[in-house]
Amino acid sequence: MTDEPEENEIMAAAREAKAREEGAARTTEPARLSKWGIAAIGAGVGSAAVAAAMLYANRNKKRG
């Protein structure tokens, strides 16, 4: 048997995060969003705005 404990999901996530952090530290180019990434963010914000508008518009209607 080895002295190392079995890797669970928390330890695996921590190992992956550390590897990601080390990889990001090696790069000198800043991250850029692609056109599709910006479109997805816009769609998310837009749908949240529509949902908020619907909630606001329907807040005083009586249910019956």
Side-chain angles (χ1 to χ4, degrees), residues 4-63:
E4 295 179 21
E6 286 187 34
E7 185 175 61
N8 60 19
E9 60 271 3
I10 296 172
M11 292 174 66
R15 180 180 43 78
E16 290 171 9
K18 185 175 182 179
R20 213 174 299 122
E21 182 180 330
E22 289 172 354
R26 285 192 300 261
T27 185
T28 58
E29 184 178 326
R32 286 187 255 153
L33 286 175
S34 67
K35 289 180 183 179
W36 286 107
I38 294 171
I41 292 171
V45 169
S47 63
V50 169
M54 294 300 293
L55 290 171
Y56 181 77
N58 292 326
R59 68 186 168 127
N60 289 329
K61 289 186 178 181
K62 292 183 181 179
R63 297 180 190 185

